[in-house]
Amino acid sequence: MPAHPPSPTARTGVAAARPRPVRFGFHGSTRLAVRIATAVGHPSSSVQYVPYEVTDPFGPLRAGAMDVMIAKYDPMEPDIELSEPVFFDGRALLVGDGHPLAGRDEVSIEEVAEYEGFRCPGDFPPHVWDLVVPPRTPKGRTIRRVHAMTTMAALADRLRSGSAVHVSFQSLEGIMPLDIRVVPIHDLPPSPVTLAWLRGAELPDHVRRFVADAEDAGRAVTDAEPAVAR
């Protein structure tokens, strides 16, 4: 006998049983988050992108506003659990388009010591900021971290108004204003990118599957050739 289409009641039950999207936290640009979610192979409708601020990176996670979030380096927060690396984000220098380094194809971290950078913001882990914006170059030159880091808009305003620089990541290229240049830094290693969630939290099955699939995708790419966001 031919199969009958599901009744309206049955369809409603299926919809009700469908899990909500994975609430995926990101900072600055969704570019890296989208790339990770695409590599996982889950449909776009199954992921909701939730922004967080660098001044309080783990606040939304602790408040239950997201399931997992992008983390770079190990925050060493006792209540935060990390996945295996799922990607690597190349390092870059952010400068205004009138800056002496703006027209370069790449720069050395040693050159950054000539200019003023940004100090650790808010509740951001200081030891991680030392990895993001090193206090010294490999040759021992001090990087002057003097400007306040607050929002991306304020960062851009500071960069375009003078000679300040910010040591950051290549994945930000997709969101910076046109008058802010993202110049690769050739002598800093890329940052490992992981997924973070609350330690001891009972992640829903679909979230655990998302994390596991992201680890598998990252492992496959890394085994072939380390992927770097560009």
Side-chain angles (χ1 to χ4, degrees), residues 126-146:
H127 72 279
V128 175
W129 194 252
D130 286 348
L131 296 170
V132 176
V133 184
R136 285 170 297 281
T137 72
K139 292 183 178 179
R141 302 185 68 190
T142 298
I143 295 179
R144 294 166 291 158
R145 304 179 299 180
V146 298

Side-chain angles (χ1 to χ4, degrees), residues 120-199:
C120 185
D123 292 329
F124 197 92
H127 72 279
V128 175
W129 194 252
D130 286 348
L131 296 170
V132 176
V133 184
R136 285 170 297 281
T137 72
K139 292 183 178 179
R141 302 185 68 190
T142 298
I143 295 179
R144 294 166 291 158
R145 304 179 299 180
V146 298
H147 298 296
M149 172 65 75
T150 53
T151 65
M152 295 299 291
L155 168 67
D157 285 343
R158 172 65 70 176
L159 294 176
R160 65 168 59 98
S161 67
S163 61
V165 300
H166 180 47
V167 182
S168 189
F169 303 97
Q170 293 179 23
S171 60
L172 288 182
E173 186 173 10
I175 64 144
M176 299 308 295
L178 294 178
D179 60 348
I180 303 300
R181 305 300 184 205
V182 181
V183 185
I185 298 175
H186 66 77
D187 50 359
L188 281 183
S191 163
V193 178
T194 60
L195 304 184
W197 62 92
L198 288 180
R199 189 183 301 276

